[in-house]
Amino acid sequence: MDLHLKSLFNRFQEQFGSGPGLGPGSGICMMKVDGIAPNFIKFVYKASAALYRTEPWKRLRPGHLFGIRVGKDSDWTGKKQPFPCVQFIGGDGGDVGFYMFRSENDARKMTGSRETIHVPNVELIRVTYEVESLMFPSNRKMIKSLSLEASGSDRFPVVDVARCTPSGDLRFRNPTLEELKFVCAFMKAISLVHSLLQVDRESGPKYSTVVCFEPFIETVDVQWPPEVAKGGYDLVAVTVSHPPGQAYEEKSNSASAGSTPTKYVEPPREDIFNDTKAYSSTGLRQCAMCEKEVHGEQSLCCGRCRAVVYCSSICQKQQWNETHKSMCGLYKAMMEREEELAIMIFLFPCSADQPCKWLESLGIHQKGMWRRKCSCYSHCPFGLLPVKGGQQELWGGIDEFEYPHDSPFNNHFISSPFLLSGWSEYYNLRSLPLSSPVADILSHPLTVYHVLTTLNISSKNLILKGKEVIVHYLGPEGELDWMPAFAEIGHLLNGLGNVQIVMVGPEVPTNLSGTTSGIGSRVRVNLVRGVYEVEATYLPSPHVIIALNSRLESFSSWGGALDLIKSMGVPAFFTDQSEVSCVNAKQVLRNAGLHITHPVTPNPFRSPVKNLTVSSNLPSYSNGFVFGVNT
């Protein structure tokens, strides 16, 4: 009897709705929208399914309001954003979906503690996920005839526009094509960025079960389908913020993960120009203004952001007036993420202000693959370090249990690639002690593996089908002497799929160009000396392009490669060491006509060893952040 009642109650909930929403679907059919094309309907359902897979309802509740800005105000009717405030419903029970309001004020008026409040004359877009068997016949017919993609196993989105009448009733209408465009842009953008929200453990009611998030803002580029692109512009910048009203400026709280505030200006105060000592008290630093070398204990840094190094307060004041005033807020926000970016699990020193001394402290200076971690062997071309001894010598003679052996994992129960979330899982999988520094070198191969199995869906699917993935790896340098470490990619594949890595760059030695090395049974590396846009014609077509520690802002020679990446349309992922480098890299990509489709995020397989930048204290790690285009 209990099972029967439970089934009946579940059926009632599905048919009539429950929880804080506005009740069951209205029966609106997208085919009745004026001017809509079947391919655009498919685009809507595909975007909806992609959002559903990311499961935002696991963390988001109706009280979490988001601001949304799609393109320019002038792009929309009335010269304003049509529905710029969004909430997710169903996370705390009831119908799953999201509501889009014409203002934050409307959203707050309609959001009750347990129910959605019917407020007269408030109009909103409602997107709900309904079970196919309970949908109206017109929608079921449309789904079947167009072979529309399902959200989850058996749910499909229903989009309508609801308005509450003064009597408390609801009236529904079809959304316009323009309103559907706005909905699609939001779904595409939020599915990329909502996972970047960071929990604010110091805010909110002490005993509340609803989490609070740190202020957040991120902009991504969304691609329109041809049916709705205007004037040849098929990409639009979409900005998502929480709470609504967040702007690209510094707030009192630290910047959240993925957040890249771009400008902050305030009148200079005397306490900004104080003699704050720079972070490092050893080694040589360089004044950011006059480029004069100064000993660490004698250097100063900005008293507000603490990020920029100077030789004197005169240089500090001069740069404030010229450039630093507009960047200080950005740098301060980045500095506040220092603790967040530090990987605290390791038991070896994780700061390499002076690389030689750091290596000496670990007993690996001028040994094995570690010779590329300082300048002592800079006279030796990349890829040509003399190799002596076996695997233990390659890892600098550290204890046998402190490095990954070139052998498969002892796991007979899993027959698919290992999906890893970070260093802790990897070290546990390999039974490595946290005192082992190998993560500093393994950051390169494991970042490649992370891109192939987590960030890029097409390569992941090929691997899961047991097929080969071709990677074009641009600009190799020290990696050319770390080939043994790249064998770990093959072991992590765990018997499924193969990877061909074509390393292309001017630093490949002439005598190695054209060679192919089999690194284990599942990874093959081809070395090609030259410029990518010239050599690419002769290479096998890639499934993904990767450039680690790319320094896009530093080399004008990237122009031709970026033009080729744009014309090929192949997913490309880049890493860079610091957040400010990523901000500048994004501008380089935009200038090349490329648009960020995977936002800048901390790389879970960044090196845990913090690097020293001579004129800056900003957090800097090898492969620190990852971002992508054409994804």
Side-chain angles (χ1 to χ4, degrees), residues 580-601:
V580 70
S581 295
C582 294
V583 171
N584 296 330
K586 287 168 70 173
Q587 189 57 50
V588 172
L589 292 171
R590 287 181 184 275
N591 290 343
L594 288 161
H595 301 268
I596 308 298
T597 50
H598 180 84
V600 174
T601 53

Side-chain angles (χ1 to χ4, degrees), residues 192-219:
L192 289 172
V193 304
H194 75 79
S195 62
L196 306 179
L197 286 163
Q198 298 293 300
V199 175
D200 185 352
R201 304 189 185 280
E202 298 180 1
S203 299
K206 187 174 182 180
Y207 299 105
S208 174
T209 57
V210 178
V211 299
C212 291
F213 297 107
E214 293 181 0
F216 168 89
I217 183 168
E218 183 60 72
T219 299

Side-chain angles (χ1 to χ4, degrees), residues 33-89:
V33 174
D34 289 341
I36 199 165
N39 282 343
F40 182 64
I41 295 176
K42 293 180 180 179
F43 179 75
V44 175
Y45 275 68
K46 186 176 181 180
S48 174
L51 173 59
Y52 192 88
R53 284 194 295 270
T54 66
E55 301 182 294
W57 300 275
K58 280 189 173 182
R59 295 201 300 166
L60 303 180
R61 301 293 180 263
H64 297 132
L65 301 182
F66 291 86
I68 174 75
R69 181 180 178 84
V70 180
K72 305 185 293 291
D73 289 352
S74 58
D75 295 338
W76 306 99
T77 300
K79 307 297 182 185
K80 64 179 182 180
Q81 304 284 315
F83 291 90
C85 186
V86 185
Q87 69 176 179
F88 284 86
I89 63 157

